[in-house]
Amino acid sequence: MFPLGERAQFMDTSVAIQVEHVTKQFGDFVAVKDVSLELKSCDSIGIIGPNGAGKTTLVNLITGYYAPDRGSIRIFGKEISALSPPERVSLGMLRTFQLVHVFDNLSVYENVALSLYRRQTGNHSILLSFFRTLVDTRTRERVEEVLDLFHLSSLEGEQVGNLSLGDKKKLELAMIYVVDPEVMILDEPFAGLGDQEIDEILPILKNAVQKQKKTMLIVEHKLSKLTSIVENIAVMHEGAIIASGPCEETLNHPEVRRSYWKLDGCPDPKETK
Amino acid sequence: MSVWLSAVVYGLSTSAILFLVSIALSVGYGLMRIVNLEAMLYYSLGAYLTYTLVSATGSMWLGAFSGVLVGAALGFLVETQLLRRVYGKNMLFSMVTTFSVYLIGIGLIQYVWGLNPKPVASPTDTMLRFLGVAIPLYRVIIIGIAGITYIGFQLFLNRTIVGKAIRAGIENRDHVQALGINIYRIFTLTFVLASGLAGLGGALNAPLIMVGPYMGNDMLLYAFTTVILGGLGSLKGTFVSALILGQVISIGGTIWSPLSFVGPFFVMFTVLIFKPNGLFGVKGIAFGFDQ
Amino acid sequence: MARRTYEWILPFLFTGGLILARYLFPSKMTFITEVALYSLYVMGNNILFGYLGYVSFGQPVYLSMGAYSAAIYLAYLGRSPLTAILVALLVGILVGVLMGPVLIRLRGSYFTLVNAAFCAIGLFTVERLLIGITRGNDGLWFRTRMVATPLLDIRQPKNFFFFAMFVLLVVFLLYRRMDRSVLGAAFKATQGNERRMQFMGYDTFKIRWLGFVLATVLSTLSGSLYAINFGFVNPNLGENSRAAEVIVATLLGGSGTVYGPFFGAITFLGIKEIVSQWITRWELLVGVLTIIVLFKFNRGVWGTFMDLLKRSRKTVVLQKKTP
């Protein structure tokens, strides 16, 4: 969907996100400590770890919420540390927030359509946007399709401020799903959702990862849901990634067992048999 | 040489008034996250009460005293009755509300005192001789009062429990509430204190200017400028920028008279281009971006 | 959805209403002309206040800029009122484009206060600094220098009335277009959640900048029309003590809506017209009015009307559903 020129600048499309030796400090507190992480295109990774482990900070560094103190971050081979969030979005990377970020003063439809519009028009969209509306046929079809997928069709005209938290979370997900981004970064997509709502979203995400081969990075606490979506997992503890790799393997890594599961010194239940 | 020396002293007395009036804006923003524009009403009222009491009794200090009292009392009324409703709401609410209160006050002042500017006699005409320059004693007194206020306010903030709670509240409101302190009491107290000081500023300024219904408008702009230049929410910043602007007004005016009016704004614009939060502004607080 | 189909008629209806009122109350023509001019001014402020969420205590300076650029052009350089309006529009674009980056990057209260300071500088400039050109408080007169415009000689108040109505209609249509376009949604979205907007790939700085330019242009347009209507300008127009008026008018009509500013202008000027028979200085009234509107009536005239309409439609739908 991107204008070709933008795509041509990419030096390497096989590696979607490459984080190298990134460190971020807030005062004396080291939130992210010398983290390196590589996410290949069409791969998916889940990041777990206790609260305060630096997961959200890492996501914020990748998406440009703030700049790293040291280290480099590349998206499709392009160094992005100096780019603003909108510029990073032009590389095809979209994210959701832990605390939901939607437009309370617009309708559900407008929220999703506005997100789609940015993608349809590329970079020079602001002056031209006076001549475009959010209700042309192409936009309407796509938005309605996605709203339907997320079970939000009945709320289409509703002011978002009146929605429940669960619906807002779903909406935010729909807002980035609608543009079909190259890289999706989800910060705790299931937090605050009921079981039924999770079951509505789960197949969409599974499908995106497994069938559509989307590149996806998910920070999430609900481990069983997470492992059913992603292929790889990285465990963060006190600002560092202590293990990463395929789900099963990583979760049984001794370091992970010690720091994350707090199974200090306990023998592996499987081994004792 | 003598011109410049007296310009510096005049500048200092201007700084003193600016500082007294700006505290209300600065603290109101820092602690309560509201833009407290109706402090200019207390400033105007302080001056008008001084005018009336000087005419009636001849005592300037009685006027200043009543200015402080009325400012504080009105501040109490407005804070508890009106501003309680705008805390936590969008900034535009507090701005529009307090500006409306100011306008209402201006309207009432016009009914009571009329439109014509009133002169107020200075309580003392004594001139001090310093390095061969005559300096009015009254201006020195004003500088002294503002200095004492600054020191007193700093001691209050640093040495007393309530003061420490206010400082903590400026940094993080939730922490104060977590300590079990009723933040709204502290708001009221701070507001009353700051309103009283604005009244004092008006009273002290009365003999130096013509007391008119629109005197608050000009002061509003200068007080804004002071607070913005210093950084919203920083008492030290307000103090320093009042010192700077006083000199800009006074020395600038000596060089080229229009500078005394526009000089402060140019200083502010220039600083804002390089430091959008002012000289001592705290980024998170002033920008309100993450809130 | 039926409402959408007929909605385009509203701009014509409202301007038509004003023209009708002019014939019903011939003595009130000056007032009705002012409603049209003031509407433009309030519409400009509404972009900042209603769409983008910026409070500016400096709007009079942009009004005054438009008035003075038209007046200076007519008094010294040219004679055609239409060119003068063009000059004012250009000045508005220029000021918006140049001042925008400085002002718009200031947030919340900083924007408000710096605009107020800017307004004071503007007032000082026309009152004292450039007194040789602007004639200060005596006002700058140029009525006799204006030449007749083709088709409609707008030097005549009667003709100017129709010209004002025409301008109002055009601006209405453009404003409505803006509201329904992606731009309008982008303005509101930027106010609603700027972070989300940025992380969706929008350069919100440019959006706010464009909004500021549009607001400025509408103000200067209104100012130039005021100047031509009066045949002279004086610093009164840009007085900073009047900064609250346009905010009250915006609130009164219903901020963030297309037709709110129009109703705000009518209501505000109407109240002013009635009250000014008894009191001359009316800061008091503006203050009281603002507080009432802010706390009790914050949807404004048009907003309340739309709410009632929506509610009645909902009940209609409900009644249909229950057999």
Side-chain angles (χ1 to χ4, degrees), chain B residues 82-152:
Chain B
L82 208 56
L83 291 181
R84 285 281 164 88
R85 297 159 194 254
V86 301
Y87 290 146
K89 281 195 187 166
N90 196 323
M91 190 76 74
L92 70 91
F93 267 87
S94 71
M95 264 189 297
V96 177
T97 311
T98 54
F99 196 66
S100 310
V101 173
Y102 168 69
L103 287 180
I104 294 172
I106 294 298
L108 292 177
I109 283 179
Q110 288 174 9
Y111 278 104
V112 178
W113 281 284
L115 285 170
N116 293 331
K118 316 278 189 206
V120 175
S122 174
T124 165
D125 292 328
T126 315
M127 299 295 258
L128 298 176
R129 313 257 350 143
F130 180 69
L131 293 176
V133 183
I135 293 162
L137 173 65
Y138 181 65
R139 292 204 178 242
V140 179
I141 294 175
I142 294 180
I143 297 168
I145 292 177
I148 292 168
T149 309
Y150 177 65
I151 295 168

Side-chain angles (χ1 to χ4, degrees), chain B residues 188-230:
Chain B
T188 312
L189 178 78
T190 318
F191 203 86
V192 168
L193 216 63
S195 306
L197 287 178
L200 177 66
L204 292 179
N205 208 15
L208 303 179
I209 54 164
M210 291 294 266
V211 177
Y214 292 104
M215 62 184 285
N217 275 7
D218 293 340
M219 185 45 81
L220 183 64
L221 291 170
Y222 286 128
F224 276 165
T225 312
T226 310
V227 175
I228 291 179
L229 181 64

Side-chain angles (χ1 to χ4, degrees), chain C residues 22-77:
Chain C
R22 178 221 175 289
Y23 286 104
L24 291 177
F25 311 99
S27 62
K28 289 281 174 225
M29 191 183 77
T30 333
F31 174 78
I32 297 168
T33 310
E34 195 180 354
V35 165
L37 305 190
Y38 206 73
S39 294
L40 303 177
Y41 179 41
V42 182
M43 278 180 186
N45 183 54
N46 188 37
I47 294 182
L48 289 178
F49 185 89
Y51 284 85
L52 285 168
Y54 276 105
V55 186
S56 162
F57 281 164
Q59 286 310 99
V61 75
Y62 305 108
L63 190 70
S64 156
M65 249 176 216
Y68 269 98
S69 42
I72 288 171
Y73 174 80
L74 285 172
Y76 299 105
L77 303 167

Side-chain angles (χ1 to χ4, degrees), chain B residues 158-219:
Chain B
N158 292 317
R159 296 287 163 82
T160 63
I161 292 177
V162 180
K164 282 177 184 166
I166 292 178
R167 273 198 324 157
I170 289 177
E171 269 159 36
N172 193 329
R173 204 193 286 190
D174 299 334
H175 286 178
V176 180
Q177 250 155 338
L179 290 173
I181 297 170
N182 184 348
I183 191 93
Y184 289 106
R185 285 259 167 82
I186 291 185
F187 282 3
T188 312
L189 178 78
T190 318
F191 203 86
V192 168
L193 216 63
S195 306
L197 287 178
L200 177 66
L204 292 179
N205 208 15
L208 303 179
I209 54 164
M210 291 294 266
V211 177
Y214 292 104
M215 62 184 285
N217 275 7
D218 293 340
M219 185 45 81

Side-chain angles (χ1 to χ4, degrees), chain B residues 232-269:
Chain B
L232 284 170
S234 161
L235 190 67
K236 186 177 155 206
T238 308
F239 185 72
V240 173
S241 80
L243 279 178
I244 296 173
L245 292 182
Q247 297 308 325
V248 170
I249 292 171
S250 174
I251 295 181
T254 314
I255 298 169
W256 186 49
S257 67
L259 268 187
S260 68
F261 181 76
V262 286
F265 304 131
F266 282 120
V267 173
M268 175 185 70
F269 279 127

Side-chain angles (χ1 to χ4, degrees), chain A residues 245-266:
Chain A
C247 293
E248 184 87 359
E249 201 178 294
T250 311
L251 292 174
N252 283 317
H253 191 280
E255 183 77 6
V256 175
R257 291 168 54 80
R258 200 157 46 81
S259 327
Y260 187 66
W261 301 117
K262 302 280 183 227
L263 293 174
D264 215 354
C266 287

